[in-house]
Amino acid sequence: MQPFEFGRFGFDPFLEMRRLQSEMNRLFSGVGTAGVQQFPPINLWLGENSVVVTAALPGVSPDTVDLTVHENTLTLQGRREPKAEDADATWHRRERSYGSFSRTVQLPIHADPDQVQARFINGVLEIELKRPEADRPKKIRISAA
Amino acid sequence: MANEMSTVERQVPRTTDSSEPTRARPVFVPRTDIYETRDAIVLLVEMPGVAPDAVDITLEKRVLTIHGHSVDPEHGAYRQIHAEYGAGDYERIFTLSEDIDRERIEAAQQAGVLRLVLPKAEPVKARKIQVRPA
């Protein structure tokens, strides 16, 4: 993303302001639900003819995640299993949650189900969805009379 | 069945020891599961976006510090339109109560989760003192 880099002038004085703004938006977006987010938390990035969805899924095996694309919705479904290795284990802390999750995201564009790329890097799932050819905006030339 | 799980993101309170990080970057407290078995204490630390070589673990006396450094993802010409989680580093400090065998500590980071096995040190053999009648 461009704003997070140093600009042509060496230092971007608005970088901190923009970061603060996005941080504020993020903090207050969950006011109604007391800061509790849905799982998995997602970020959305919009490009010219595609959209990128990133989801933080630490500890989830990528082959247990199901992705469904329908028109402008993307559904992520999966399950996070606890590692039941020690039956006699005593718990000190249990902060991570386990179980099934399902989340549907509304995309700003229609997505072509045949052109979906998904990668799983260090617990972050990155899905790139392309706009179908027929849905892309077209430039119309005006011919001289 | 949908959305059985929820997440809360917390930031490290900066007032604990009145020190500040030099980099103006958010630092998160990673969610952690800790359980104890007969011969070890196991920690599962959730740090999405942190590569295995970007994790720093130090054990000094009884203080265990876990630090995970994440790299901001490159998004080129993409513009962020919705954000629910932020990019940042992870840090958490634990005080251990039991003696740990430092030579056999194991750590593995996979799919954004650090698994740290701290084996307990051999217990000092209990000595029985016989009392002889005088």
Side-chain angles (χ1 to χ4, degrees):
Chain A
M1 201 175 127
Q2 218 61 41
F4 286 101
E5 287 168 16
F6 289 113
R8 211 182 324 166
F9 306 105
F11 176 72
D12 182 354
F14 299 107
L15 183 132
E16 197 66 9
M17 267 167 66
R18 269 197 301 269
R19 227 205 51 202
L20 189 73
Q21 190 184 28
S22 65
E23 192 81 348
M24 282 296 164
N25 290 344
R26 200 172 59 77
L27 285 175
F28 289 111
S29 62
V31 160
T33 51
V36 176
Q37 294 178 328
Q38 290 184 303
F39 189 89
I42 58 148
N43 283 356
L44 270 172
W45 307 78
L46 185 65
E48 203 179 328
N49 281 313
S50 61
V51 65
V52 173
V53 180
T54 59
L57 286 165
V60 176
S61 160
D63 39 82
T64 61
V65 180
D66 277 331
L67 298 174
T68 324
V69 178
H70 178 70
E71 288 179 355
N72 66 337
T73 57
L74 168 76
T75 307
L76 289 123
Q77 270 179 312
R79 208 174 151 73
R80 186 155 76 173
E81 297 285 353
K83 279 184 187 166
E85 48 199 313
D86 303 290
D88 59 338
T90 325
W91 285 93
H92 289 210
R93 276 168 199 264
R94 259 198 129 149
E95 296 169 359
R96 304 175 62 218
S97 44
Y98 299 97
S100 323
F101 60 86
S102 170
R103 192 154 180 201
T104 304
V105 185
Q106 198 167 356
L107 305 167
I109 56 164
H110 276 248
D112 188 346
D114 300 325
Q115 288 188 71
V116 181
Q117 284 184 317
R119 279 171 295 174
F120 192 73
I121 313 153
N122 296 324
V124 178
L125 180 67
E126 198 176 298
I127 312 145
E128 179 154 21
L129 304 118
K130 294 245 163 74
R131 215 174 216 188
E133 213 57 64
D135 199 41
R136 289 182 191 176
K138 272 180 200 139
K139 268 193 182 169
I140 296 149
R141 268 198 197 158
I142 302 164
S143 51
Chain B
M1 153 163 164
N3 304 315
E4 278 173 28
M5 303 205 277
S6 59
T7 51
V8 185
E9 218 167 14
R10 292 166 300 164
Q11 259 180 296
V12 169
R14 293 238 169 107
T15 48
T16 45
D17 58 349
S18 73
S19 68
E20 277 184 79
T22 49
R23 280 148 51 91
R25 199 154 193 265
V27 180
F28 302 112
V29 177
R31 293 177 150 254
T32 308
D33 274 359
I34 304 174
Y35 62 85
E36 187 182 339
T37 62
R38 199 177 297 165
D39 37 37
I41 291 167
V42 183
L43 277 84
L44 298 166
V45 188
E46 216 167 68
M47 297 190 284
V50 175
D53 54 358
V55 184
D56 264 334
I57 306 156
T58 49
L59 178 61
E60 201 186 333
K61 284 174 186 165
R62 284 180 161 191
V63 180
L64 176 77
T65 309
I66 299 158
H67 185 90
H69 177 80
S70 74
V71 183
D72 278 328
E74 290 278 328
H75 286 277
Y78 289 84
R79 182 166 58 84
Q80 185 157 26
I81 51 167
H82 180 72
E84 287 176 1
Y85 69 92
D89 292 348
Y90 296 89
E91 191 170 65
R92 197 149 179 188
I93 300 158
F94 291 107
T95 314
L96 305 171
S97 56
E98 302 219 23
D99 281 332
I100 300 301
D101 187 349
R102 279 147 206 267
E103 304 301 312
R104 294 191 295 130
I105 294 175
E106 283 172 53
Q109 169 100 350
Q110 202 209 354
V113 177
L114 170 75
R115 191 188 141 88
L116 193 61
V117 182
L118 307 163
K120 292 181 195 169
E122 288 285 312
V124 181
K125 277 181 188 167
R127 239 183 260 162
K128 206 172 180 183
I129 297 152
Q130 276 195 332
V131 182
R132 283 187 207 167

